[in-house]
């Protein structure tokens, strides 16, 4: 009994029981901590996955670009040996790393052409330089089936077209 004549706010004979509160509070705290840890891991892993995706797309664009350059070089060699029409089919994928891409051919002059492959959804681009004896017509195309065409009687340029 305290000085005011009461038993500290408790009725005599009734015990205070905090066991259920401790269990519920512990459960809620455990869930909160687990949620924070999982969220942190997901955020960290998300950045890692995005970086890996960019590297995969860059690597695939380089391979696709080298394939197109090889087909252009083959068409250039054929065009320099015959006086007629050359057609070389270039089978490229429509997507790289689940992203669409575009090809841009820019004539730098002096037989030098820059092939730029860009996947804007992941903000990745690759430039490949190509040297040919035959001029290459400038073009912008989507990835997929392409044809490299040369007609000695027409423009006298290697033209890349959608198949």
């Amino acid at each position: 009994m305290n000085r005011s004549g009461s038993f500290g706010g408790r009725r005599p004979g009734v015990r205070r029981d905090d066991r259920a509160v401790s269990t519920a509070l512990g459960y809620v705290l455990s869930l909160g901590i687990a949620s924070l840890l999982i969220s942190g891991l997901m955020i960290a892993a998300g950045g890692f996955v995005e970086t890996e995706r960019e590297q995969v797309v860059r690597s695939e664009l380089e391979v696709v670009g080298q394939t197109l350059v090889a087909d252009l070089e083959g068409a250039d060699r054929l065009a320099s040996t015959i006086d007629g029409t050359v057609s070389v089919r270039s089978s490229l994928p429509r997507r790289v790393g689940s992203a669409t891409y575009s090809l841009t051919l820019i004539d730098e002059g002096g037989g030098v052409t820059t092939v730029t492959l860009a996947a804007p959804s992941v903000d990745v681009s690759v430039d490949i330089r190509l040297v040919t004896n035959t001029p290459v017509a400038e073009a912008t195309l989507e990835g997929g089936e392409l044809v490299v065409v040369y007609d000695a009687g027409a423009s006298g340029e290697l033209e890349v077209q959608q198949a």
Side-chain angles (χ1 to χ4, degrees):
M1 199 168 178
N2 59 20
R3 286 197 275 171
S4 62
S6 69
F7 289 99
R10 287 190 266 170
R11 291 182 286 164
V14 177
R15 283 188 10 200
R16 186 170 169 178
D17 188 6
D18 292 335
R19 288 180 293 172
V21 172
S22 297
T23 303
L25 183 62
Y27 182 72
V28 169
L29 287 174
S30 296
L31 283 177
I33 292 169
S35 297
L36 287 173
L37 288 174
I38 291 172
S39 298
L41 287 173
M42 295 300 280
I43 290 169
F48 175 75
V49 169
E50 187 62 31
T51 301
E52 288 298 313
R53 182 174 184 227
E54 288 175 6
Q55 289 178 355
V56 165
V57 169
R58 184 176 312 283
S59 296
E60 288 185 24
L61 285 177
E62 288 173 359
V63 170
V64 168
Q66 292 297 336
T67 301
L68 178 62
V69 165
D71 291 339
L72 279 163
E73 288 173 340
D76 180 45
R77 284 191 299 276
L78 286 170
S80 64
T81 60
I82 63 172
D83 186 30
T85 304
V86 172
S87 178
V88 176
R89 188 173 209 66
S90 186
S91 296
L92 304 177
R94 290 192 182 282
R95 302 172 76 82
V96 290
S98 75
T100 59
Y101 65 98
S102 63
L103 304 124
T104 304
L105 299 148
I106 300 170
D107 183 15
E108 303 290 337
V112 178
T113 302
T114 300
V115 179
T116 301
L117 296 97
S121 64
V122 288
D123 196 27
V124 174
S125 68
V126 173
D127 292 333
I128 301 171
R129 296 188 69 144
L130 165 69
V131 178
T132 59
N133 294 323
T134 310
V136 177
E138 293 189 348
T140 300
L141 307 155
E142 294 298 317
E145 295 289 323
L146 303 175
V147 178
V148 180
V149 178
Y150 172 77
D151 188 356
S155 67
E157 293 181 316
L158 292 170
E159 295 180 31
V160 181
Q161 305 168 351
Q162 296 289 149

